[in-house]
Amino acid sequence: TGPASFIVERSGDGGSFKDLVSLAADGDLNEHGYSWTDEHPLTGKNFYRIKVSESGEADYYSPIVSVTNISTGWTIGRLYQAAGSTWNIEILADRDIRLQLRIVDAGGRQFMQHTVALSPSSRLISVNLSALASGQYFVQLVSDLGEVSVRAIQKQ
């Protein structure tokens, strides 16, 4: 086998990865620490993995990790169905900010709106969508400056 290399790969969707940098392995792979910093991350969620490549051998991959880049000062972190028709929305912020949280359908019709005041850290907000029919909806966060973050949810 030939010399090994570590290739850092990034994706914006967790599926399509592109090589960012290749680092040559130095001797025994278990004896050295390696590091690299992404100086130009994507806005929002970044998915990373490491491809280990040795000539003459099959490539193998590390587990995928995700990192959220908050370029606007805030973003939607996690969005998940908690129980029944209740959804939890984690909002991350690195400064004090007031946002409008809206639930809209694909046609842009608004069904719900809340004002959210954030301080640096994260905040978990629960919304009950039991009054809405089944279908796809969008969680929108809108700042006073017009910055928007959107994530889709599917209500059963």
Side-chain angles (χ1 to χ4, degrees):
T1 63
S5 63
F6 299 107
I7 300 163
V8 178
E9 298 182 330
R10 179 183 66 205
S11 169
D13 62 9
S16 303
F17 284 86
K18 294 189 179 194
D19 295 355
L20 294 179
V21 66
S22 178
L23 304 170
D26 186 20
D28 183 350
L29 299 181
N30 296 318
E31 290 182 8
H32 298 281
Y34 297 87
S35 67
W36 177 80
T37 301
D38 187 353
E39 297 294 336
H40 304 286
L42 304 172
T43 299
K45 237 177 219 226
N46 290 262
F47 298 88
Y48 295 93
R49 70 181 181 189
I50 297 171
K51 176 170 64 174
V52 180
S53 183
E54 290 184 78
S55 62
E57 300 289 327
D59 293 338
Y60 57 96
Y61 297 87
S62 72
I64 297 170
V65 296
S66 67
V67 177
T68 302
N69 176 24
I70 308 174
S71 65
T72 60
W74 55 270
T75 192
I76 298 172
R78 293 180 24 185
L79 174 64
Y80 58 94
Q81 190 171 7
S85 294
T86 300
W87 286 76
N88 285 339
I89 305 161
E90 179 189 39
I91 305 172
L92 308 172
D94 66 359
R95 59 185 160 98
D96 291 338
I97 190 166
R98 291 176 60 86
L99 303 170
Q100 295 297 314
L101 184 148
R102 301 174 184 156
I103 307 294
V104 301
D105 67 8
R109 289 179 297 211
Q110 184 172 302
F111 293 92
M112 193 177 299
Q113 178 172 317
H114 297 288
T115 300
V116 180
L118 298 172
S119 57
S121 73
S122 68
R123 178 164 174 202
L124 192 64
I125 298 171
S126 294
V127 293
N128 187 318
L129 304 179
S130 60
L132 301 180
S134 295
Q136 186 173 43
Y137 295 90
F138 298 90
V139 174
Q140 293 181 336
L141 289 179
V142 182
S143 75
D144 293 339
L145 300 175
E147 300 162 323
V148 179
S149 182
V150 179
R151 294 275 296 274
I153 57 176
Q154 184 70 36
K155 181 175 183 285
Q156 303 298 324

